[in-house]
């Protein structure tokens, strides 16, 4: 699985859009970008994933650059409950060990 | 409601006393996995299972055992716990392969302290 690089921490004002970047310059053609988050020692929670097109669901949007070497997770209207560690993960989808390799993530703090 | 449950949520035990942490999922998932989370080391996979009676080692299997006798259950067994197994443990499940495997569901965690 390709390595990812994320900022250690970020702050965002409540109600504003939170934009979390991720660099994955060594990503290969069959690797997906996934985002999970972990709220204070709870189990990680899936947010969104994508291959090359931008994706949106009820939680967030995922913007992947055309060369796929980086991506941005967007929480459109951040709330205090979005304070968490956000993990960007790159991996292939295959019929085998579905292991997720969590890096250190970005600690996002939403400020009232 | 789709969920992964773990029991117990908190456990304090002594070195050498065998214990089992249970994990159960209600989504008929083929794939289940155990992770441990330690400060500065992130989440590391202990064991995983791709179906009933099919298990394999993850990255840090030493000191742990698992079994998969039923599809819904995947218990983690510590035959002789040691203090270095003090950690936060998570069970996860998903479908196996294909688009449906993108979302893994995690349990709430079990905080284990071995003294």
């Amino acid at each position: 699985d390709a390595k990812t690089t994320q900022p250690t921490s970020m702050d965002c004002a409540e109600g504003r859009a939170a934009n979390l970047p991720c660099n994955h310059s060594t990503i290969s053609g069959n690797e997906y970008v996934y985002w999970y988050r972990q709220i204070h020692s709870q189990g990680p929670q899936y947010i969104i994933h994508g291959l090359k097109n931008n994706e949106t669901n009820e939680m967030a949007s995922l913007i992947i650059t055309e060369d796929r070497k980086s991506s941005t997770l967007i929480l459109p209207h951040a709330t205090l409950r979005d304070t968490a560690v956000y993990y960007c993960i790159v991996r292939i989808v295959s019929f085998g060990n579905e292991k997720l390799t969590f890096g250190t993530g970005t600690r996002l703090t939403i400020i009232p | 409601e789709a969920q992964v449950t773990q029991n117990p949520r908190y456990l304090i035990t002594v070195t050498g006393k065998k214990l089992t942490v249970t994990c159960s999922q209600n989504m008929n998932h083929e794939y289940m996995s155990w992770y441990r989370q330690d400060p500065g080391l992130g989440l590391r996979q202990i064991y995983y299972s791709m179906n009933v009676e099919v298990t394999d080692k993850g990255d840090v299997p030493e000191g742990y055992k698992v079994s998969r006798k039923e599809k819904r259950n995947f218990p983690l067994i510590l035959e002789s716990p040691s203090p270095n197994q003090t950690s936060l443990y998570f069970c996860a499940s998903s479908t196996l392969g294909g688009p449906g495997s993108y979302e893994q569901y995690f349990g709430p965690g079990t905080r284990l302290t071995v003294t």
Side-chain angles (χ1 to χ4, degrees), chain A residues 32 34 46 49 93 95, chain B residues 95-103:
Chain A
Y32 285 71
Y34 297 79
Y46 164 83
H49 79 287
V93 173
F95 287 86
Chain B
T95 57
L96 185 60
S101 71
Y102 58 82
E103 179 173 4

Side-chain angles (χ1 to χ4, degrees), chain A residues 15-90:
Chain A
R16 303 296 294 268
N19 294 273
L20 292 89
C22 180
N23 182 286
H24 31 79
S25 58
T26 61
I27 192 170
S28 60
N30 60 351
E31 288 184 306
Y32 285 71
V33 180
Y34 297 79
W35 284 84
Y36 279 74
R37 74 180 181 183
Q38 186 176 24
I39 299 172
H40 187 56
S41 297
Q42 296 179 20
Q45 176 190 23
Y46 164 83
I47 301 172
I48 199 168
H49 79 287
L51 183 61
K52 51 185 176 182
N53 297 321
N54 297 337
E55 303 288 344
T56 295
N57 63 20
E58 64 278 4
M59 288 182 68
S61 295
L62 174 60
I63 308 298
I64 303 174
T65 58
E66 192 168 342
D67 64 7
R68 302 207 326 123
K69 293 185 176 183
S70 66
S71 60
T72 301
L73 177 74
I74 301 171
L75 307 178
H77 305 286
T79 71
L80 298 178
R81 288 179 296 179
D82 292 322
T83 293
V85 178
Y86 288 76
Y87 298 97
C88 171
I89 298 167
V90 171

Side-chain angles (χ1 to χ4, degrees), chain B residues 23-63:
Chain B
C23 172
S24 183
Q25 49 94 4
N26 64 0
M27 295 164 280
N28 202 37
H29 285 161
E30 299 88 1
Y31 179 84
M32 298 186 74
S33 179
W34 277 101
Y35 294 84
R36 62 177 287 175
Q37 185 172 29
D38 303 289
L41 296 176
L43 282 95
R44 295 177 291 168
Q45 189 185 54
I46 303 171
Y47 268 94
Y48 67 96
S49 169
M50 292 197 288
N51 216 323
V52 175
E53 303 293 357
V54 180
T55 64
D56 208 345
K57 297 177 181 178
D59 298 320
V60 288
E62 295 76 24

Side-chain angles (χ1 to χ4, degrees), chain B residues 51-55 67-75:
Chain B
N51 216 323
V52 175
E53 303 293 357
V54 180
T55 64
S67 69
R68 188 92 182 271
K69 295 177 181 168
E70 303 167 286
K71 198 170 186 179
R72 64 182 294 126
N73 297 323
F74 191 45

